[in-house]
């Protein structure tokens, strides 16, 4: 089994300047699985849901090669729920409601069938939960990628720093990189964070693209300029799913291949924002993905022969 | 004579979180000339200065191959003066003082020796002044590039729209593109602006890079991630100077070569912000420029063989 995904499976209710989503499926592990399953199957999903989580969604994931042995279903409980409203610029949002429900005492259990996974991605969860997953892996995966958020830097920094020492790739956004490092310059921030444990750091800048730092190297991938960003929810997780999916497919964890993986992740994220929630990424075809990646090549490709 | 540059030559006084510049040399034509002269000489400068403008600066420009026949010196008058203070994020600034002085009734005169210029760049000035330059060119240059700003969209939109019909490349920042088009999406904004006259549109996004639009094509160049941005003043004009300098040097105005020119412009701008004012771009060597351009190649280059 090659890729294990740990994160939330949840309900979201989203309002953007373009409309309201109603109650739809969300969650970091959901987005990661939908994106990554285009590149590698099976995917070993680790999450927790309530009795209210629709069977149709679980069936759809199963059909995409997502194993659900590690997804706990809590009888008589409700799934994690988040609602939020985006501002006109789509870069900022207000959380309207956050109901942890089943997430409040989530204790992930890694099924025996998931052991031996070569790739592991830890979606944004409490550092304690992330650590518990690492502790349960009998054999260290070849590559461990983690996401986190500013909230854990504020309430669980010590635990977060412990997890950081055990992962290979950290993914954060620009604000989080600044908060974690205390440096405004992203170059200086990256230098400090790479001393905290991870060998690779990805700084996501939303519509402004993403940076990959490794030793003294830096790689930049733009976001695809789009007519409209309809809903940015899940774009970061979709990016993560495309990134780890490409690496798990190619089994090549060199810096060079991570660059390509970042482009793949950016391509997947560019689909995600075109519709509400997972709507676009659950229908996207391999042909569309290949065409979008080719658009990225055109977007950044230039002739270096300067005469 | 191949490149004519029209714009301001002025005094700036800048405050950033890193310090105060004191009264230093600035102006759009100054930055453009310093940047472009690394690629093409002579440069035909068109501007206006007061008696207070230092002879040493004029001599330095002359030594860099900048012809000053088109620079009017107004006896007993003072040069254009601007002072401003940058906020901590370096993306926003407050103007503390703007004294037009000689600029108030600037009537550019194109010397006979400048006629026949193949390349023309109109720095940010009133649209009437830009139009007057176009009217004086006996033969239309092969490529006309113009800059402008939000202020002219507010107070001289009709004139601005007339100039737009006569240029090949418009350079604006993201906020200006949105204001001019009435569209928030930069892709939609570009589509509208390209219908206003220019064949090419460059949207500058500061630390977030620049976009080049042409027909249905789009190219993106990142800004170089730097340890510190010391002073962003003049970065846009330096970018413009590198861009037009490379085009004038290569005499190739294809879309493909414009992509390379944008990378050259981005490289020059990345030097500009490293020190106050023109300090860094007046000392930069050809070797440093070549090395910086190679860094841009490394920054965005990825392997597209997706297996």
């Amino acid at each position: 089994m090659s890729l294990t995904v740990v994160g939330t499976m949840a309900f979201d209710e989203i309002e953007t300047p373009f409309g309201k989503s109603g109650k739809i499926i969300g969650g970091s592990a959901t987005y990661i699985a939908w994106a990554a399953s285009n590149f590698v199957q099976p995917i070993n999903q680790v999450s927790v849901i309530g009795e209210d989580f629709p069977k149709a969604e679980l069936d759809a994931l199963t059909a995409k090669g997502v194993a659900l042995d590690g997804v706990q279903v809590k009888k008589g409980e409700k799934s994690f729920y988040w609602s939020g409203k985006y501002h006109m610029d789509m870069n900022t949002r207000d959380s309207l409601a956050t109901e942890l429900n089943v997430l409040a005492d989530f204790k992930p259990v890694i099924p025996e069938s998931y052991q031996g996974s070569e790739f592991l991605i830890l979606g944004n969860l409490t550092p304690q939960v992330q650590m518990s997953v690492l502790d349960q892996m009998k054999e260290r995966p070849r590559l461990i990628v983690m996401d986190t958020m500013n909230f854990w830097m504020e309430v669980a920094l010590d635990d977060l720093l412990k997890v950081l020492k055990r992962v290979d790739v950290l993914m954060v956004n620009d604000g989080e990189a600044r908060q974690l490092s205390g440096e405004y310059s992203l170059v200086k921030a990256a230098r400090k964070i790479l001393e905290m444990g991870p060998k690779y750091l990805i700084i996501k800048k939303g519509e402004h693209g993403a940076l990959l730092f490794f030793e003294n190297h830096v790689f930049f991938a733009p976001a695809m300029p789009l007519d409209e960003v309809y809903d940015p929810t899940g774009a970061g997780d979709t990016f993560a799913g495309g990134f780890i999916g490409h690496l798990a497919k190619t089994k090549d964890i060199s810096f060079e291949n991570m660059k390509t993986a970042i482009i793949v992740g950016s391509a997947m994220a560019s689909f995600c924002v075109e519709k509400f929630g997972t709507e676009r990424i659950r229908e996207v075809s391999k042909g569309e993905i290949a065409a979008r990646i080719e658009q990225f090549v055109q977007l950044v490709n230039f002739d270096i022969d300067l005469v």
Side-chain angles (χ1 to χ4, degrees), chain A residues 39-291:
Chain A
F39 306 96
V40 67
Q41 292 183 8
I43 285 168
N44 300 326
Q45 194 87 330
V46 179
S47 193
V48 62
I49 55 179
E51 227 177 334
D52 53 355
F53 202 84
K55 183 167 182 309
E57 175 67 16
L58 298 176
D59 290 346
L61 285 168
T62 303
K64 264 292 219 178
V66 181
L68 302 174
D69 312 43
V71 178
Q72 301 167 30
V73 187
K74 297 285 184 184
K75 296 281 176 208
E77 292 189 42
K78 290 167 76 180
S79 301
F80 177 47
Y81 170 87
W82 174 81
S83 80
K85 181 177 174 173
Y86 286 88
H87 300 165
M88 191 60 212
D89 69 359
M90 288 288 194
N91 284 322
T92 49
R93 68 186 187 188
D94 294 324
S95 284
L96 302 179
T98 304
E99 298 169 13
L100 287 179
N101 299 325
V102 293
L103 209 61
D105 61 347
F106 176 37
K107 291 187 181 58
V109 178
I110 305 296
E112 190 57 35
S113 58
Y114 290 9
Q115 292 295 343
S117 273
E118 286 183 90
F119 293 85
L120 170 64
I121 181 161
L122 303 168
N124 171 36
L125 286 165
T126 72
Q128 295 93 325
V129 166
Q130 295 178 319
M131 185 64 92
S132 145
V133 170
L134 295 180
D135 287 341
Q136 290 177 60
M137 303 303 282
K138 294 178 187 167
E139 195 180 332
R140 189 191 192 279
R142 274 184 69 205
L143 191 80
I144 302 171
V145 179
M146 77 174 274
D147 188 12
T148 188
M149 72 184 293
N150 50 357
F151 183 67
W152 310 122
M153 299 171 195
E154 286 152 25
V155 305
L157 182 60
D158 286 351
D159 288 337
L160 177 61
L161 292 174
K162 282 177 198 155
V163 181
L164 276 180
K165 288 195 194 308
R166 296 178 60 180
V167 305
D168 302 298
V169 184
L170 174 67
M171 269 184 197
V172 286
N173 68 33
D174 43 2
E176 291 158 352
R178 289 179 170 129
Q179 185 168 341
L180 183 59
S181 64
E183 291 285 349
Y184 186 81
S185 156
L186 295 180
V187 174
K188 289 187 175 179
R191 213 172 283 143
K192 280 200 179 176
I193 291 170
L194 289 179
E195 285 172 6
M196 296 177 187
K199 283 189 281 291
Y200 298 88
L201 171 67
I202 295 171
I203 299 181
K204 299 173 291 182
K205 302 197 297 171
E207 63 166 323
H208 299 304
L211 290 159
L212 168 65
F213 292 91
F214 168 62
E215 293 175 351
N216 290 320
H217 307 288
V218 55
F219 173 70
F220 175 84
M224 179 59 62
L226 297 170
D227 267 35
E228 289 306 353
V229 170
Y230 195 85
D231 172 20
T233 310
D237 295 315
T238 302
F239 171 90
F243 174 78
I244 193 99
H246 173 75
L247 293 177
K249 173 191 175 189
T250 55
K251 296 178 184 286
D252 171 358
I253 57 172
S254 66
F255 178 55
E256 282 310 312
N257 196 45
M258 287 210 191
K259 294 179 183 178
T260 309
I262 286 208
I263 296 292
V264 173
S266 301
M268 296 311 294
S270 76
F271 286 116
C272 177
V273 302
E274 288 179 349
K275 293 191 178 177
F276 267 130
T278 59
E279 196 178 337
R280 186 70 177 97
I281 55 163
R282 61 203 302 146
E283 67 173 23
V284 69
S285 70
K286 284 198 194 309
E288 287 177 312
I289 295 169

